[in-house]
């Protein structure tokens, strides 16, 4: 049998779980997000840099290969040896080419006996070394028609280690070997390619020998890339460090570019963040457990107070008052509970009165909707228009029929504001047929008002009064404006005209009459509208009249914001 858990304890547990879970999830998401962003950033930066460096190096090599082929194709070794001006022109072209390159190189021309005819290199030791390399590979060059990239390194000239690319092109004339064109690119000049990076960059040959590096961190004693990194890519753990490697083969050569990024700092940050999450979780658990216990005790005490009050209401006691000392929604509940009991008492008292007043209001509403004078004038206008303007007459008949149909639909008491407003606009269009340009109408309706529920036919009587009493001897044009907006959960409908206005004494009588139990004036429409609103929604809602003789009248309808 399961042990019964009190609401207080269940609330406490729920608060702890719901407080800690989002925090924990958020922390985990932050850590995972950091790891993901860091990984993507490292991967993207590393691979993009490696790819861009490879492409940059290949472009340089390709341009040297093309230039070598061009020179080998066009040069005449005999003229180069005998004609001084020809030699100057060839060498000038070489220097022009070299001056445009980011990676500097030395240029050599050999004859068919592998003697150096010309070189941009000043060091004799270096010249002899290059000649030695070329002579040792004599059979490799003679008869070849394609470019050869040759790598050598680890040797010393003038106590300086050499590591270079040789770009060789044989000079073939009449199917016979006539000499060689060579560019020598010292790899120490590759700093212009592998700059602007915090990663380690290694240029490695097929024997894993490092022929260029911007750091010796991952190079062993034999000048080779460390064994754990050879032919590897991706994430690697090495001696407790987290390393990311990307490698790309360089075209035309048997060399690879390794870009190595140390990710240990990101791993350490992730571990620290996880430890912080654990520590924060422990501290928050203790703090939340304490505060949740106090909170649950306080709130359950209020709930038991509510339960006790509801039991009294259930027993028929309606004169109780619930006093909740709280600054949150429970205080609103207590206030609403008291208001509800007050409303129940008030509803019981005015139930009979409402039935009588509602019947009276409905009868008066029907009497004030379309008086015979309005119908007579409209029909007279239609009769006149049928002869002189049939289209307007047809539109007026349609408007009048829709007005009548709307007014006699007794199946509903409330409609959406936009339906009520359409009814009023049709009424004004009919009035414009009668008054023509003497009647102007404007509206200023907020979009959020159109779906609000309002009592049926509460605006038309106000507009009818504005037309009926607004014109005077000095009023050439009567302007009527209808505005509607929502403020503080109340709907305000304003009908304003610039007509003759209402005399001060008459206005005082009208305002006084609105608060009387029975209508004692001839203004049935205003009284009927006010009482209908008051009976439906309470004394906080109704109709307000403001007017000044000679300046016009403004009627404000105040209703609750209700969507039905």
């Amino acid at each position: 049998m399961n042990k019964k858990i009190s609401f207080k304890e269940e609330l406490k547990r729920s608060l702890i779980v719901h407080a800690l879970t989002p925090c924990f999830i958020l922390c985990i998401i932050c850590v995972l997000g950091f790891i993901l962003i860091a990984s993507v950033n490292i991967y993207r930066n590393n691979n993009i840099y490696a790819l861009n460096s490879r492409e940059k190096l290949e472009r340089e090599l390709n341009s040297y290969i093309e230039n070598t082929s061009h020179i080998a194709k066009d040069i005449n070794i005999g003229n180069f040896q005998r004609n001084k001006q020809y030699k100057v022109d060839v060498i000038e072209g070489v220097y022009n080419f070299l001056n445009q390159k980011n990676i500097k190189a030395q240029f050599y021309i050999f004859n068919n006996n592998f003697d150096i005819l010309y070189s941009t290199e000043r060091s004799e030791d270096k010249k002899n070394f290059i000649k030695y390399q070329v002579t040792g590979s004599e059979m490799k060059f003679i008869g070849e028609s394609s470019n050869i990239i040759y790598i050598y390194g680890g040797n010393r000239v003038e106590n300086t280690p050499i590591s270079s690319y040789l770009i060789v092109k044989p000079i073939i004339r009449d199917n016979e070997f006539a000499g060689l064109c060579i560019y020598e690119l010292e790899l120490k000049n590759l700093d212009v390619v592998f700059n602007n990076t915090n990663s380690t960059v290694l240029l490695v040959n097929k024997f894993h020998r490092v022929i260029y590096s911007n750091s010796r961190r991952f190079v062993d004693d034999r000048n080779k890339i460390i064994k754990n990194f050879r032919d590897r890519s991706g994430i690697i753990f090495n001696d407790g460090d987290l390393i990311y490697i990307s490698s790309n083969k360089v075209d035309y050569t048997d060399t690879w570019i390794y870009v190595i990024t140390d990710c240990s700092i990101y791993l350490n940050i992730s571990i620290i963040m996880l430890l912080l999450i654990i520590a924060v979780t422990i501290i928050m658990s203790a703090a939340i457990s304490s505060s949740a216990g106090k909170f649950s005790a306080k709130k359950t005490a209020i709930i038991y107070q509510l339960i006790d009050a509801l039991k009294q209401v259930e027993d028929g006691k309606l004169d109780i008052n619930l006093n909740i000392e709280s600054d949150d929604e429970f205080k609103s509940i207590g206030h609403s509970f008291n208001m509800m009991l007050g409303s129940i008492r008030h509803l019981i008292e005015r139930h009979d009165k409402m039935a009588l007043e509602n019947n009276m209001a409905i009868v008066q509403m029907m009497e004030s909707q379309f008086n015979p004078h309005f119908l007579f004038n409209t029909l007279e206008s239609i009769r006149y228009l049928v002869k002189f303007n049939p289209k307007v007459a047809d539109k007026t008949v349609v408007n009048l029929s829709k007005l009548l149909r709307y007014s006699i639909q007794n199946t509903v008491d409330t409609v959406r504001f936009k339906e009520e407003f359409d009814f009023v606009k049709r009424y004004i269009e009919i009035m414009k047929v009668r008054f023509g340009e003497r009647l102007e109408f404007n509206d200023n309706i907020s979009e959020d008002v159109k779906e609000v529920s309002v009592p049926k036919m509460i605006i038309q009587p106000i507009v009818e009064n504005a037309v009926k009493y607004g014109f005077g001897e000095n009023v050439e044009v009567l302007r009527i404006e209808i505005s509607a907006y929502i403020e503080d959960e109340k709907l305000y409908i304003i009908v304003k005209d610039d007509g003759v206005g209402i005399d001060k004494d008459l206005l005082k009588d009208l305002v006084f009459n609105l608060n009387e139990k029975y209508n004692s004036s001839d203004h049935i429409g205003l009284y009927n509208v006010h009482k209908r609103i008051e009976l439906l929604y309470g004394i906080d809602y109704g109709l307000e009249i403001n007017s000044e003789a000679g300046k016009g009248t403004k009627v404000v309808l105040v209703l609750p914001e209700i969507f039905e």
Side-chain angles (χ1 to χ4, degrees), residues 28-254:
I28 295 299
I29 290 174
C30 290
V31 173
L32 294 178
F34 172 79
I35 294 173
L36 178 62
I37 293 172
S39 299
V40 171
N41 188 57
I42 292 170
Y43 174 84
R44 181 170 55 85
N45 291 342
N46 190 296
N47 283 275
I48 289 176
Y49 179 81
L51 183 63
N52 289 341
S53 298
R54 189 201 71 183
E55 291 176 350
K56 190 173 181 180
L57 179 57
E58 288 175 351
R59 284 196 298 271
E60 292 290 321
L61 292 175
N62 189 57
S63 65
Y64 275 108
I65 291 171
E66 290 178 354
N67 190 261
T68 307
S69 299
H70 172 72
I71 295 174
K73 179 181 178 181
D74 294 340
I75 193 170
N76 187 304
I77 295 297
N79 289 340
F80 186 87
Q81 291 178 296
R82 295 187 296 271
N83 189 325
K84 184 176 181 180
Q85 184 59 45
Y86 180 84
K87 181 178 181 179
V88 169
D89 292 340
V90 172
I91 294 173
E92 182 180 2
V94 170
Y95 274 104
N96 289 337
F97 171 76
L98 290 174
N99 289 334
Q100 298 174 7
K101 305 310 295 176
N102 292 321
I103 303 177
K104 301 306 179 182
Q106 301 298 335
F107 178 72
Y108 298 84
I109 295 180
F110 287 78
N111 62 14
N112 56 357
N113 294 321
F114 293 98
D115 296 322
I116 299 177
L117 300 182
Y118 177 80
S119 173
T120 58
E121 176 61 55
R122 296 182 179 181
S123 171
E124 292 298 323
D125 288 343
K126 184 71 171 294
K127 291 180 181 179
N128 292 332
F129 182 77
I130 296 298
K131 181 177 180 180
Y132 172 78
Q133 292 290 327
V134 172
T135 305
S137 304
E138 175 180 352
M139 298 305 299
K140 191 174 182 179
F141 301 132
I142 298 176
E144 289 284 347
S145 59
S146 60
N147 298 292
I148 296 175
I149 305 298
Y150 183 78
I151 304 168
Y152 64 99
N155 298 285
R156 292 179 176 270
V157 176
E158 297 179 350
N159 297 319
T160 301
I162 293 177
S163 191
S164 301
Y165 282 141
L166 283 185
I167 303 174
V168 184
K169 182 69 177 179
I171 303 171
I172 307 299
R173 295 292 181 268
D174 298 326
N175 294 323
E176 291 184 2
F177 177 71
L180 293 173
C181 291
I182 300 176
Y183 276 109
E184 183 234 353
L185 280 71
E186 282 196 70
L187 299 185
K188 65 181 183 181
N189 295 328
L190 294 184
D191 288 338
V192 297
V193 176
F194 304 118
N195 58 359
N196 299 325
T197 181
N198 295 321
S199 300
T200 299
V201 180
L202 305 178
L203 192 60
V204 180
N205 67 11
K206 62 183 178 180
F207 303 110
H208 307 300
R209 186 172 299 279
V210 177
I211 58 178
Y212 170 85
S213 67
N214 63 353
S215 170
R216 304 291 297 177
R217 178 180 176 185
F218 304 110
V219 181
D220 63 17
D221 296 334
R222 296 182 299 165
N223 200 40
K224 290 186 177 183
I225 186 172
I226 60 177
K227 190 174 182 179
N228 195 30
F229 290 178
R230 296 174 187 176
D231 302 322
R232 299 284 297 275
S233 62
I235 295 291
I236 297 175
F237 280 94
N238 182 68
D239 294 333
D241 294 330
L242 185 67
I243 305 296
Y244 183 86
I245 302 176
S246 63
S247 61
N248 289 273
K249 187 178 184 300
V250 181
D251 287 344
Y252 318 112
T253 72
D254 289 328

Side-chain angles (χ1 to χ4, degrees), residues 339-378:
M339 293 295 295
M340 179 188 69
L341 291 182
S343 298
I344 292 174
R345 293 193 296 267
H346 179 67
L347 287 171
I348 293 174
E349 292 172 358
R350 70 174 188 169
H351 179 269
D352 294 335
K353 176 184 176 181
M354 281 189 62
L356 178 62
E357 294 286 353
N358 191 49
N359 289 335
M360 178 195 70
I362 293 174
V363 172
Q364 290 181 340
M365 178 191 70
M366 297 302 296
E367 290 176 351
S368 65
Q369 285 170 8
F370 294 110
N371 57 56
H373 184 68
F374 165 75
L375 292 173
F376 174 79
N377 287 336
T378 302

Side-chain angles (χ1 to χ4, degrees), residues 441-459:
F441 171 72
N442 293 305
D443 66 85
N444 184 16
I445 308 300
S446 177
E447 280 296 323
D448 56 350
V449 170
K450 295 185 178 180
E451 296 300 321
V452 176
S453 177
V454 298
K456 184 179 177 183
M457 296 186 67
I458 59 168
I459 304 177

